Amino acid sequence: MLTPAPLHRRRAAPPLRQQGIVLLVALVVLIGMTLAGLSLLRSVFTSNRIAGNLAFQQAATQSADVGIETAIAWLENNNTGTTLHQSRDAAGGELGYFARREDPGPGQSWEDFWQQVLAGSNRVNVLPPDAAGNTVAFVIHRLCNSVGDPLAGARCETSPLTKNEGNSQTALSPAFSAPQQQYYRITARVSGPRNTLSYVQVVVAM
């Protein structure tokens, strides 16, 4: 017959040690999720900013069309006589028209050329701000090496002299000849919200 061991000889099992591994894993996962959330939030903000900047840039480019059309209308209205043989400054509301070509110097950007040479001398035509907050300014350069009449020494970029050989006149009659057209370069500068800056250039022949 077995007799129970005395009470003083019984030992209780020691309690298991708490390692805290679950808490550590939870903290690591929480930190990872926090960093991922911050990265996603930053990515969304960056995407929205890029989309907004592209929208402002597109609006500025569209606003430049107003300056281009205004300059073309002025050329059409003044394409008679000797009006386009001499330059006209923008002072006093006059149009910034130049009868000779001017370009940025070596290593000079168009913005530097605009600020230092054109706008710095009040030689540009500035339109009132539009509904989008864009301010359009433009100048016109006749693509000639000097002012004056192209037929009297001012060498200009012109369209080729074209002839229509397929006319219905009689044999040996002269062919129809199209007059040469002068080239004009229109430069429009648009400044708008968020420091938006856009340049648009077109070349027209008249």
Side-chain angles (χ1 to χ4, degrees):
M1 179 175 179
L2 297 177
T3 58
L7 294 178
H8 67 276
R9 297 181 61 183
R10 294 180 182 178
R11 294 182 179 180
L16 296 178
R17 263 185 166 179
Q18 298 294 330
Q19 300 294 330
I21 188 66
V22 176
L23 179 61
L24 181 60
V25 172
L27 289 176
V28 172
V29 172
L30 182 60
I31 293 174
M33 292 178 63
T34 302
L35 293 177
L38 292 176
S39 178
L40 179 61
L41 187 63
R42 184 175 181 179
S43 176
V44 171
F45 285 159
T46 302
S47 300
N48 289 339
R49 183 176 294 274
I50 292 175
N53 290 339
L54 290 176
F56 280 115
Q57 186 73 20
Q58 184 177 7
T61 303
Q62 292 175 351
S63 297
D65 293 340
V66 177
I68 299 297
E69 293 298 330
T70 304
I72 292 176
W74 186 89
L75 285 172
E76 291 175 342
N77 294 332
N78 292 273
N79 192 23
T80 57
T82 61
T83 302
L84 301 181
H85 295 172
Q86 301 296 327
S87 300
R88 300 177 66 183
D89 290 338
E94 295 290 341
L95 185 66
Y97 170 78
F98 305 95
R100 62 181 297 271
R101 181 170 184 167
E102 294 182 1
D103 298 310
Q108 185 181 34
S109 66
W110 260 102
E111 177 63 13
D112 292 338
F113 176 69
W114 187 279
Q115 297 295 341
Q116 298 170 9
V117 179
L118 300 177
S121 303
N122 195 26
R123 303 169 67 193
V124 301
N125 191 348
V126 182
L127 301 179
D130 58 17
N134 295 316
T135 300
V136 183
F138 64 89
V139 293
I140 305 173
H141 287 96
R142 189 179 66 161
L143 299 184
C144 300
N145 67 338
S146 61
V147 300
D149 190 348
L151 301 179
R155 290 183 299 171
C156 301
E157 299 288 341
T158 58
S159 60
L161 183 62
T162 59
K163 292 184 178 182
N164 180 12
E165 301 292 350
N167 60 73
S168 59
Q169 295 181 352
T170 59
L172 302 180
S173 61
F176 295 117
S177 297
Q180 288 182 314
Q181 295 178 308
Q182 304 294 321
Y183 287 126
Y184 301 88
R185 183 184 65 200
I186 304 172
T187 304
R189 177 185 183 273
V190 185
S191 57
R194 293 190 184 179
N195 296 322
T196 302
L197 184 63
S198 178
Y199 277 91
V200 176
Q201 284 186 329
V202 298
V203 175
V204 297
M206 291 187 178

